[in-house]
Amino acid sequence: MTNSHPIRIAPSILAADFANFGAECRAAEDAGADWIHVDVMDGHFVPNLTFGPAMCKALRPHIRGTMDVHLMIAPVDPYIQAFADAGADVLTAHVEAGPHIHRTLQAIRAAGVKAGVALNPGTPASAAQPLLDMVDLICVMTVNPGFGGQSFIASQLQTIRDVKAMIGDRPIHIEVDGGVDTKTAPDVARAGADVLVAGSAVFRGGSVEAPDAYGANIVAIRAAAESARGEMA
């Protein structure tokens, strides 16, 4: 089964310079990033604490393209409107982040934002089955959420394949988040992913003052994924 979506690279600003986020977003997009991925963590649903709606609102003027906001928070519903008002283009919530994921996705759509659902490594692909007509994106976590720089969980490749088979002809993005680099990008692309979140693999070796490394990293990840997809054509 082919994938009609082009490969998109979504750098996670969790791996960027925290003191210079606006410039980092601009540098990543100038280097070829398709989306900017913002990891929102609450120290409760996941063991880390990061950003809130105010940070997303501050970043919005610095992002020309898609702001992809990953809500690793519980409860999630009370904050949907605030993140929508902050300028998010995509809001992704986890299946386990509240008692009624279908209602959560309805609320995201009602706020005028594209809706995503995230599947943890311990969450079966089948959890997304009843939600397929409610989502624009399914995010398959290839690490346990909460920290950047973790090792890729290879068993999640089957989850990506299962999600791809479930989607069929629906125009749903399959995003992969965790441990994506030039070594793992071919595997996730073959499995069916089209949005690749990468943090340290994009920002490694560069800075706002020396952004050439960002571009080289993005080119390398994209080329690895596209080459693997080309092998399947």
Side-chain angles (χ1 to χ4, degrees):
M1 185 180 296
T2 59
N3 193 325
S4 59
H5 293 300
I7 294 292
R8 290 174 170 84
I9 308 300
S12 168
I13 62 168
L14 194 63
D17 179 0
F18 276 35
N20 215 5
F21 271 144
E24 289 278 46
C25 290
R26 294 194 301 272
E29 286 192 320
D30 289 343
D34 301 292
W35 294 6
I36 298 296
H37 187 83
V38 183
D39 288 303
V40 176
M41 306 181 190
D42 64 359
H44 168 69
F45 183 70
V46 295
N48 201 356
L49 187 65
T50 58
F51 324 115
M55 175 62 79
C56 290
K57 184 176 181 179
L59 290 176
R60 181 70 264 186
H62 301 278
I63 299 173
R64 298 187 300 270
T66 296
M67 180 191 285
D68 177 32
V69 179
H70 182 184
L71 299 176
M72 289 170 271
I73 63 176
V76 66
D77 290 7
Y79 301 96
I80 288 170
Q81 192 62 53
F83 281 102
D85 291 344
D89 296 295
V90 182
L91 285 176
T92 296
H94 284 250
V95 170
E96 300 87 357
H100 306 292
I101 184 61
H102 191 281
R103 181 183 295 165
T104 297
L105 296 171
Q106 283 181 317
I108 293 172
R109 285 262 181 100
V113 180
K114 291 184 177 179
V117 64
L119 304 177
N120 286 327
T123 307
S126 59
Q129 181 72 56
L131 309 171
L132 293 177
D133 294 326
M134 293 294 302
V135 298
D136 302 284
L137 177 148
I138 297 174
C139 175
V140 178
M141 296 300 299
T142 42
V143 298
N144 285 297
F147 293 96
Q150 297 182 69
S151 297
F152 183 86
I153 300 174
S155 60
Q156 286 298 89
L157 292 170
Q158 185 58 51
T159 301
I160 300 170
R161 296 185 196 104
D162 292 343
V163 167
K164 180 61 181 172
M166 280 194 303
I167 285 173
D169 294 328
R170 295 176 179 86
I172 298 173
H173 292 289
I174 301 177
E175 181 175 74
V176 172
D177 186 354
V180 174
D181 56 21
T182 54
K183 294 180 180 178
T184 56
D187 293 330
V188 300
R190 290 189 196 99
D194 61 272
V195 180
L196 279 56
V197 176
S200 55
V202 167
F203 290 103
R204 182 183 296 117
S207 66
V208 169
E209 292 76 22
D212 288 353
Y214 298 170
N217 293 338
I218 289 170
V219 166
I221 295 168
R222 192 190 309 277
E226 290 179 342
S227 177
R229 182 184 280 187
E231 294 169 3
M232 301 169 60

mmCIF file of all heavy atoms in Angstrom, residues 1 3 7 9 13 28 39 50 62 72 81 100 108 110 157 165 189 211 218 229 232:
data_model
loop_
_atom_site.group_PDB
_atom_site.id
_atom_site.type_symbol
_atom_site.label_atom_id
_atom_site.label_comp_id
_atom_site.label_asym_id
_atom_site.label_seq_id
_atom_site.Cartn_x
_atom_site.Cartn_y
_atom_site.Cartn_z
ATOM 1 N N MET A 1 0.854 -1.190 0.000
ATOM 2 C CA MET A 1 0.000 0.000 0.000
ATOM 3 C C MET A 1 0.891 1.242 0.000
ATOM 4 O O MET A 1 1.799 1.382 0.802
ATOM 5 C CB MET A 1 -0.889 0.007 1.248
ATOM 6 C CG MET A 1 -1.900 1.146 1.282
ATOM 7 S SD MET A 1 -2.888 1.066 2.800
ATOM 8 C CE MET A 1 -3.725 -0.505 2.561
ATOM 9 N N ASN A 3 1.813 5.422 0.116
ATOM 10 C CA ASN A 3 1.436 6.548 0.972
ATOM 11 C C ASN A 3 1.427 7.794 0.113
ATOM 12 O O ASN A 3 2.449 8.155 -0.474
ATOM 13 C CB ASN A 3 2.430 6.684 2.124
ATOM 14 C CG ASN A 3 1.919 7.625 3.204
ATOM 15 O OD1 ASN A 3 1.252 8.613 2.930
ATOM 16 N ND2 ASN A 3 2.238 7.314 4.448
ATOM 17 N N ILE A 7 7.018 12.842 2.607
ATOM 18 C CA ILE A 7 7.707 12.796 3.894
ATOM 19 C C ILE A 7 7.840 14.212 4.443
ATOM 20 O O ILE A 7 8.281 15.130 3.750
ATOM 21 C CB ILE A 7 9.108 12.159 3.743
ATOM 22 C CG1 ILE A 7 8.996 10.693 3.347
ATOM 23 C CG2 ILE A 7 9.921 12.330 5.036
ATOM 24 C CD1 ILE A 7 8.421 9.789 4.421
ATOM 25 N N ILE A 9 9.422 16.388 7.785
ATOM 26 C CA ILE A 9 10.319 16.356 8.944
ATOM 27 C C ILE A 9 9.856 17.426 9.930
ATOM 28 O O ILE A 9 9.693 18.594 9.572
ATOM 29 C CB ILE A 9 11.779 16.616 8.532
ATOM 30 C CG1 ILE A 9 12.206 15.674 7.401
ATOM 31 C CG2 ILE A 9 12.704 16.466 9.747
ATOM 32 C CD1 ILE A 9 12.123 14.200 7.734
ATOM 33 N N ILE A 13 11.307 20.942 19.296
ATOM 34 C CA ILE A 13 12.081 22.001 19.945
ATOM 35 C C ILE A 13 12.525 21.612 21.341
ATOM 36 O O ILE A 13 13.287 22.346 21.976
ATOM 37 C CB ILE A 13 11.318 23.336 19.974
ATOM 38 C CG1 ILE A 13 10.032 23.218 20.785
ATOM 39 C CG2 ILE A 13 11.052 23.834 18.564
ATOM 40 C CD1 ILE A 13 9.400 24.564 21.098
ATOM 41 N N ALA A 28 15.248 26.323 12.050
ATOM 42 C CA ALA A 28 14.852 24.983 11.627
ATOM 43 C C ALA A 28 14.034 25.040 10.341
ATOM 44 O O ALA A 28 14.234 24.238 9.425
ATOM 45 C CB ALA A 28 14.066 24.295 12.738
ATOM 46 N N ASP A 39 6.478 19.788 22.231
ATOM 47 C CA ASP A 39 6.143 18.763 23.219
ATOM 48 C C ASP A 39 5.678 19.414 24.519
ATOM 49 O O ASP A 39 6.470 20.028 25.229
ATOM 50 C CB ASP A 39 7.365 17.881 23.504
ATOM 51 C CG ASP A 39 7.691 16.963 22.339
ATOM 52 O OD1 ASP A 39 6.813 16.188 21.940
ATOM 53 O OD2 ASP A 39 8.824 17.028 21.828
ATOM 54 N N THR A 50 7.284 20.826 30.742
ATOM 55 C CA THR A 50 7.852 21.678 29.689
ATOM 56 C C THR A 50 7.054 22.952 29.499
ATOM 57 O O THR A 50 7.183 23.872 30.285
ATOM 58 C CB THR A 50 7.975 20.902 28.358
ATOM 59 O OG1 THR A 50 6.683 20.407 27.959
ATOM 60 C CG2 THR A 50 8.950 19.748 28.478
ATOM 61 N N HIS A 62 6.953 33.134 15.197
ATOM 62 C CA HIS A 62 8.249 32.699 14.673
ATOM 63 C C HIS A 62 8.140 31.459 13.792
ATOM 64 O O HIS A 62 9.150 30.994 13.249
ATOM 65 C CB HIS A 62 9.201 32.413 15.837
ATOM 66 C CG HIS A 62 9.430 33.586 16.733
ATOM 67 N ND1 HIS A 62 10.334 34.584 16.435
ATOM 68 C CD2 HIS A 62 8.844 33.944 17.913
ATOM 69 C CE1 HIS A 62 10.315 35.495 17.386
ATOM 70 N NE2 HIS A 62 9.419 35.134 18.301
ATOM 71 N N MET A 72 1.026 15.982 26.027
ATOM 72 C CA MET A 72 1.278 14.875 26.952
ATOM 73 C C MET A 72 0.859 15.324 28.338
ATOM 74 O O MET A 72 1.664 15.479 29.260
ATOM 75 C CB MET A 72 2.759 14.473 26.901
ATOM 76 C CG MET A 72 3.136 13.777 25.616
ATOM 77 S SD MET A 72 4.928 13.562 25.419
ATOM 78 C CE MET A 72 5.332 15.101 24.579
ATOM 79 N N GLN A 81 -8.905 24.590 24.216
ATOM 80 C CA GLN A 81 -9.188 25.908 23.651
ATOM 81 C C GLN A 81 -8.002 26.855 23.814
ATOM 82 O O GLN A 81 -7.704 27.651 22.918
ATOM 83 C CB GLN A 81 -10.429 26.515 24.302
ATOM 84 C CG GLN A 81 -10.952 27.758 23.573
ATOM 85 C CD GLN A 81 -11.373 27.460 22.150
ATOM 86 O OE1 GLN A 81 -12.174 26.563 21.905
ATOM 87 N NE2 GLN A 81 -10.822 28.200 21.190
ATOM 88 N N HIS A 100 -12.601 10.004 27.908
ATOM 89 C CA HIS A 100 -13.391 9.951 26.680
ATOM 90 C C HIS A 100 -12.588 10.544 25.519
ATOM 91 O O HIS A 100 -12.743 11.721 25.176
ATOM 92 C CB HIS A 100 -14.704 10.712 26.849
ATOM 93 C CG HIS A 100 -15.515 10.266 28.026
ATOM 94 N ND1 HIS A 100 -16.107 9.022 28.092
ATOM 95 C CD2 HIS A 100 -15.820 10.898 29.187
ATOM 96 C CE1 HIS A 100 -16.740 8.898 29.238
ATOM 97 N NE2 HIS A 100 -16.575 10.014 29.928
ATOM 98 N N ILE A 108 -11.270 19.140 19.990
ATOM 99 C CA ILE A 108 -10.159 19.683 19.204
ATOM 100 C C ILE A 108 -10.668 20.167 17.850
ATOM 101 O O ILE A 108 -10.364 21.281 17.407
ATOM 102 C CB ILE A 108 -9.043 18.637 19.038
ATOM 103 C CG1 ILE A 108 -8.384 18.350 20.397
ATOM 104 C CG2 ILE A 108 -7.996 19.122 18.029
ATOM 105 C CD1 ILE A 108 -7.392 17.191 20.364
ATOM 106 N N ALA A 110 -13.710 20.980 17.099
ATOM 107 C CA ALA A 110 -14.623 22.108 17.314
ATOM 108 C C ALA A 110 -13.868 23.416 17.535
ATOM 109 O O ALA A 110 -14.390 24.504 17.262
ATOM 110 C CB ALA A 110 -15.539 21.830 18.506
ATOM 111 N N LEU A 157 7.404 -0.681 15.122
ATOM 112 C CA LEU A 157 7.259 -0.726 13.669
ATOM 113 C C LEU A 157 6.010 -1.504 13.270
ATOM 114 O O LEU A 157 5.320 -1.150 12.310
ATOM 115 C CB LEU A 157 8.503 -1.331 13.015
ATOM 116 C CG LEU A 157 9.774 -0.488 13.117
ATOM 117 C CD1 LEU A 157 10.985 -1.294 12.654
ATOM 118 C CD2 LEU A 157 9.635 0.788 12.281
ATOM 119 N N ALA A 165 -2.465 -0.106 7.834
ATOM 120 C CA ALA A 165 -3.462 -1.006 7.265
ATOM 121 C C ALA A 165 -4.877 -0.567 7.646
ATOM 122 O O ALA A 165 -5.803 -0.648 6.833
ATOM 123 C CB ALA A 165 -3.202 -2.432 7.731
ATOM 124 N N ALA A 189 9.595 4.762 7.543
ATOM 125 C CA ALA A 189 9.019 5.101 6.238
ATOM 126 C C ALA A 189 8.484 3.853 5.547
ATOM 127 O O ALA A 189 7.394 3.873 4.965
ATOM 128 C CB ALA A 189 10.057 5.801 5.368
ATOM 129 N N PRO A 211 23.683 27.340 11.674
ATOM 130 C CA PRO A 211 22.542 26.460 11.395
ATOM 131 C C PRO A 211 22.761 25.468 10.258
ATOM 132 O O PRO A 211 21.853 24.688 9.966
ATOM 133 C CB PRO A 211 21.443 27.453 11.034
ATOM 134 C CG PRO A 211 22.175 28.583 10.379
ATOM 135 C CD PRO A 211 23.483 28.689 11.127
ATOM 136 N N ILE A 218 18.528 17.517 8.451
ATOM 137 C CA ILE A 218 17.184 17.363 7.884
ATOM 138 C C ILE A 218 17.261 16.688 6.516
ATOM 139 O O ILE A 218 16.488 15.776 6.216
ATOM 140 C CB ILE A 218 16.468 18.726 7.801
ATOM 141 C CG1 ILE A 218 16.099 19.202 9.207
ATOM 142 C CG2 ILE A 218 15.215 18.639 6.921
ATOM 143 C CD1 ILE A 218 15.606 20.638 9.266
ATOM 144 N N ARG A 229 11.263 4.524 0.999
ATOM 145 C CA ARG A 229 9.940 4.512 0.370
ATOM 146 C C ARG A 229 10.064 4.213 -1.114
ATOM 147 O O ARG A 229 9.238 3.486 -1.681
ATOM 148 C CB ARG A 229 9.234 5.842 0.607
ATOM 149 C CG ARG A 229 7.845 5.879 0.028
ATOM 150 C CD ARG A 229 7.203 7.238 0.182
ATOM 151 N NE ARG A 229 6.661 7.458 1.520
ATOM 152 C CZ ARG A 229 5.932 8.544 1.846
ATOM 153 N NH1 ARG A 229 5.711 9.472 0.950
ATOM 154 N NH2 ARG A 229 5.454 8.658 3.072
ATOM 155 N N MET A 232 10.124 0.675 -2.252
ATOM 156 C CA MET A 232 8.861 -0.055 -2.217
ATOM 157 C C MET A 232 7.990 0.210 -3.449
ATOM 158 O O MET A 232 6.998 -0.474 -3.678
ATOM 159 C CB MET A 232 8.068 0.341 -0.959
ATOM 160 C CG MET A 232 8.796 0.068 0.329
ATOM 161 S SD MET A 232 7.977 0.845 1.742
ATOM 162 C CE MET A 232 6.365 0.060 1.697
#
